[in-house]
Amino acid sequence: MKRFQHAFSPVAFKSLTLAVMFALPTAVVAHNHSKAEDDQRYALPKSATAQDFIAIFKEINGEHPGIRKAHARGVCAVGAFTPSTAAKQRFTSPLFQVDNAPLTLRFSMGGGTPNADERRGARGVGIQFELPNNQSHTIAGITSPVFSGATPNHFLGLLQWNLKMMRGEATREDVQKFMAAHPSMQPAIEWNRGRTASAEYTSATYYGIHAFWANTQGDAQKFRWQLVPQAGEKNLTKQQVESGPQSFLTERLIEQVKNDGAVTFDWHWTIGAADDPTNDPSAQWPADREQVHVGTITVTSAGGEACTPINFDPVRVARGIRPSDDPVLPIRSAAYAISFGQRLSNQ
């Protein structure tokens, strides 16, 4: 039971998928139920609200008063953002009109427990950009380019089946069949098959899995973003996953920044074509889409509590940028707000 409890920790609408993919095989086991029975049994929940997610996060992870309900384990950092010339010339948002905008960052582990095993699972990052006139811009990403399904209902259904399994009310086969019944869950399975976790917070590429719109000098363009470490990606070896320490990411980040002075990421935006979906975070856009290097994000120190009072809600964007019609975004924003309020009141 403990193994499953760890493997299926929820993670702010994203990272739980990664734990699931690491833990479960993807082949569908033969069964004797009729197709009609399976269609009904493994159907998506009819609704999914922010309160539903907060409630099931607590059921899976337990009570941790004053702690974030997802991505509970993490470390604060600060730094600066320098926009590229290309971004300044192309996009009208004030995000790109100021050099060296101050940043507050939080690197984190997926899952709702503050003692998550750092050898496994997704990493996350939240960044708040401080802009003139009391404006700000917020992004949040994880180390997977796709969400666990096309809608919040997919993720809620996955959580519900994981909770049933933890209680002994369902089996791995049930979780397996639920995922197999919904094609939009397959891209996340494929992406995570055989992958190990990043060796450091700063040796991973982070993806903003949702689409947004940005104003240009002429019209608005859809985009998704990636944050790529300039030093390159580095993952744990299988031996490190099996026998390495369970806690190391915070120490490595603090040591790395201290020794190197700074760590830098390149921020890239993928510009979508007319037929690229904005309402399905489980569907990757084609690899040949235009890439725009919009700037560099530099981490200059780590540790402390600078990120503690921040709600890294990716819907809170600067002027000239707006969220898309992705159905996960409004539910995610509402769940973040509930979690933030509970955290500040030590719930």
Side-chain angles (χ1 to χ4, degrees):
M1 179 63 70
K2 289 183 179 179
R3 185 168 79 89
F4 288 128
Q5 202 164 0
H6 169 74
F8 301 117
S9 299
V11 294
F13 294 33
K14 300 175 185 177
S15 311
L16 173 96
T17 301
L18 308 184
V20 171
M21 307 320 159
F22 289 136
L24 291 176
T26 58
V28 178
V29 179
H31 55 86
N32 296 321
H33 299 142
S34 70
K35 183 179 185 303
E37 289 174 326
D38 276 359
D39 287 346
Q40 182 176 3
R41 179 173 173 80
Y42 301 113
L44 294 176
K46 293 182 179 180
S47 65
T49 69
Q51 289 285 6
D52 292 333
F53 285 103
I54 294 298
I56 201 165
F57 287 172
K58 290 181 180 179
E59 288 189 82
I60 291 177
N61 288 306
E63 296 281 352
H64 300 286
I67 301 296
R68 295 174 194 262
K69 306 311 176 191
H71 290 269
R73 183 170 196 168
V75 57
C76 297
V78 297
F81 169 61
T82 303
S84 68
T85 299
K88 289 182 177 181
Q89 294 175 345
R90 182 166 181 169
F91 303 107
T92 63
S93 173
L95 178 64
F96 301 113
Q97 306 309 315
V98 179
D99 288 332
N100 296 317
L103 303 177
T104 304
L105 307 91
R106 185 176 187 267
F107 294 96
S108 60
M109 278 293 301
T113 170
N115 298 311
D117 186 344
E118 296 180 342
R119 297 172 299 177
R120 298 175 175 85
R123 285 69 164 104
V125 66
I127 306 177
Q128 181 172 279
F129 300 69
E130 298 177 26
L131 305 176
N133 302 317
N134 293 318
Q135 295 188 66
S136 64
H137 182 77
T138 306
I139 64 174
I142 58 165
T143 50
S144 170
V146 288
F147 186 52
S148 57
T151 70
N153 306 59
H154 288 81
F155 187 51
L156 181 61
L158 183 59
L159 289 170
Q160 289 172 343
W161 278 108
N162 291 331
L163 181 59
K164 289 178 183 178
M165 189 174 66
M166 289 169 55
R167 291 172 170 172
E169 300 169 359
T171 66
R172 283 175 54 164
E173 182 183 352
D174 286 312
V175 181
Q176 213 175 319
K177 290 176 184 175
F178 173 78
M179 292 190 293
H182 304 287
S184 71
M185 303 187 80
Q186 305 313 306
I189 296 173
E190 293 299 323
W191 171 263
N192 289 289
R193 181 181 286 118
R195 292 179 185 269
T196 58
S198 62
E200 300 168 348
Y201 279 135
T202 53
S203 68
T205 294
Y206 296 90
Y207 301 87
I209 60 173
H210 307 293
F212 292 81
W213 292 88
N215 293 341
T216 69
Q217 299 299 336
D219 56 6
Q221 295 183 327
K222 68 179 77 170
F223 73 91
R224 288 174 172 171
W225 62 261
Q226 309 90 43
L227 202 59
V228 182
Q230 286 191 351
E233 296 183 0
K234 181 181 178 182
N235 287 3
L236 297 172
T237 65
K238 291 184 178 179
Q239 182 179 358
Q240 288 171 325
V241 171
E242 294 302 322
S243 59
Q246 295 187 19
S247 177
F248 59 91
L249 289 172
T250 293
E251 292 75 11
R252 286 187 184 180
L253 176 61
I254 293 173
E255 181 179 0
Q256 184 181 22
V257 174
K258 180 179 179 181
N259 292 339
D260 297 343
V263 179
T264 303
F265 292 83
D266 289 317
W267 197 19
H268 297 281
W269 285 11
T270 299
I271 307 301
D275 58 347
D276 290 333
T278 56
N279 62 352
D280 184 355
S282 71
Q284 282 189 271
W285 292 347
D288 62 356
R289 294 296 182 254
E290 179 187 5
Q291 300 285 321
V292 179
H293 177 240
V294 298
T296 55
I297 287 174
T298 303
V299 182
T300 55
S301 68
E305 299 294 333
C307 68
T308 300
I310 295 177
N311 174 18
F312 291 100
D313 179 355
V315 172
R316 300 174 64 184
V317 293
R319 191 175 68 250
I321 298 173
R322 70 179 189 273
S324 70
D325 56 348
D326 185 331
V328 175
L329 276 171
I331 297 293
R332 183 179 179 190
S333 179
Y336 275 33
I338 295 170
S339 175
F340 185 63
Q342 291 183 351
R343 181 161 61 88
L344 293 184
S345 59
N346 202 38
Q347 296 182 55

